[in-house]
């Protein structure tokens, strides 16, 4: 699939956003066990996927299929969430807010709301001013509620696990700055007693 799409990109003159998006997906699934490879290989595949998504993004003006637009933004935001702070969450917020501004009335996305909640959660944990941290909390809560309103069956549990990470995936902790926040816990249907005692301080940087 990767070779076929590379040929299609060449034949199209590199002008098709949809082909670049499909190419990014093919690259991702080319080696689903890339985490078992060497450190260099781990970096190589995600970077190639991100580059293909960036190429797709740069060509969106020529693409009439809004579902492709949504998919490209979703991919870019997802990858940004795994880039070290502050650059990662800043990029995720940039793309997420851009999507909401441009497409939310035509094609709202619970997935992008979910990712924005996570991105603002990361920001709240970083070394910001009090005002920036408060703003990040407000936005994280807003997008968490929007994601739940869009599809509670999909996103409620996922959001809960970002507040109180599971033992199986303790590093997916984007919202743990709010693990003792009564309003946040209530919005996610979590009792105050759910908060763990070893929650990372909200001012600490996510590693």
């Amino acid at each position: 699939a990767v070779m076929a799409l590379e040929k299609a990109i060449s034949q199209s003159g590199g002008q098709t956003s949809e082909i670049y998006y499909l190419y990014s997906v093919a690259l991702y699934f080319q080696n689903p066990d890339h985490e078992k490879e060497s450190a260099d290989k781990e970096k190589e595949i995600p970077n190639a996927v991100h580059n293909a998504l960036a190429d797709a993004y740069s060509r969106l003006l020529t693409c009439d299929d809004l579902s492709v637009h949504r998919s490209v933004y979703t991919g870019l935001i997802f990858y940004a969430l795994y880039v070290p702070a502050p650059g990662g969450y800043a990029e995720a917020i940039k793309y997420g807010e851009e999507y909401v501004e441009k497409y939310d009335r035509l094609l709202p996305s619970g997935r992008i709301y979910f990712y924005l909640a996570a991105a603002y959660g990361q920001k709240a944990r970083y070394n910001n001013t009090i005002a920036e941290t408060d703003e990040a909390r407000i936005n994280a809560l807003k997008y968490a509620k929007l994601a739940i309103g869009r599809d509670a069956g999909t996103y409620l549990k996922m959001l809960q696990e970002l507040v109180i990470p599971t033992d199986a995936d303790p590093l997916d902790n984007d919202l743990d700055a709010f693990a003792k926040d009564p309003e946040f816990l209530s919005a996610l249907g979590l009792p105050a007693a759910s908060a763990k005692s070893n929650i990372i301080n909200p001012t600490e940087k996510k590693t």
Side-chain angles (χ1 to χ4, degrees):
V2 169
M3 293 180 64
L5 285 163
E6 287 174 345
K7 182 177 179 180
I9 288 170
S10 176
Q11 291 176 341
S12 72
Q15 298 302 313
T16 308
S17 181
E18 184 174 9
I19 290 178
Y20 273 105
Y21 170 69
L22 294 173
Y23 181 50
S24 75
V25 174
L27 284 170
Y28 182 83
F29 286 105
Q30 179 177 241
N31 185 1
D33 295 324
H34 64 81
E35 68 273 8
K36 299 177 182 177
E37 303 290 343
S38 67
D40 288 342
K41 191 66 174 177
E42 286 180 26
K43 295 177 182 178
E44 177 183 335
I45 292 176
N47 285 344
V49 175
H50 182 274
N51 290 342
L53 286 166
D55 284 333
Y57 173 82
S58 70
R59 292 162 173 81
L60 284 176
L61 287 176
T62 64
C63 177
D64 295 328
D65 186 345
L66 290 184
S67 68
V68 173
H69 291 231
R70 179 178 58 191
S71 296
V72 170
Y73 274 93
T74 301
L76 285 168
I77 299 165
F78 172 78
Y79 273 96
L81 289 171
Y82 289 91
V83 173
Y89 69 69
E91 183 173 338
I93 289 170
K94 172 199 162 196
Y95 284 123
E97 292 288 5
E98 185 177 299
Y99 181 89
V100 170
E101 181 180 353
K102 288 184 175 181
Y103 304 97
D104 203 45
R105 291 182 63 185
L106 295 173
L107 197 65
S109 169
R111 177 69 59 173
I112 288 178
Y113 296 152
F114 170 74
Y115 286 160
L116 274 168
Y120 280 112
Q122 289 186 14
K123 183 174 182 179
R125 303 173 74 252
Y126 201 68
N127 296 318
N128 305 298
T129 65
I130 293 175
E132 288 173 330
T133 300
D134 286 345
E135 181 185 15
R137 176 194 174 277
I138 290 169
N139 282 311
L141 183 58
K142 176 181 80 172
Y143 283 114
K145 288 179 176 178
L146 284 171
I148 294 168
R150 187 75 187 159
D151 186 354
T154 298
Y155 298 112
L156 180 58
K157 183 173 176 57
M158 293 168 66
L159 287 161
Q160 290 173 341
E161 291 179 351
L162 291 185
V163 176
I164 303 173
T166 64
D167 293 335
D169 206 353
L171 295 182
D172 272 343
N173 58 356
D174 305 80
L175 297 174
D176 70 356
F178 311 118
K180 295 182 180 180
D181 183 321
E183 185 180 5
F184 218 102
L185 294 173
S186 176
L188 301 187
L190 291 168
S194 297
K196 291 184 178 180
S197 60
N198 63 341
I199 292 300
I200 299 173
N201 187 294
T203 62
E204 291 182 359
K205 182 178 178 181
K206 181 178 177 181
T207 57

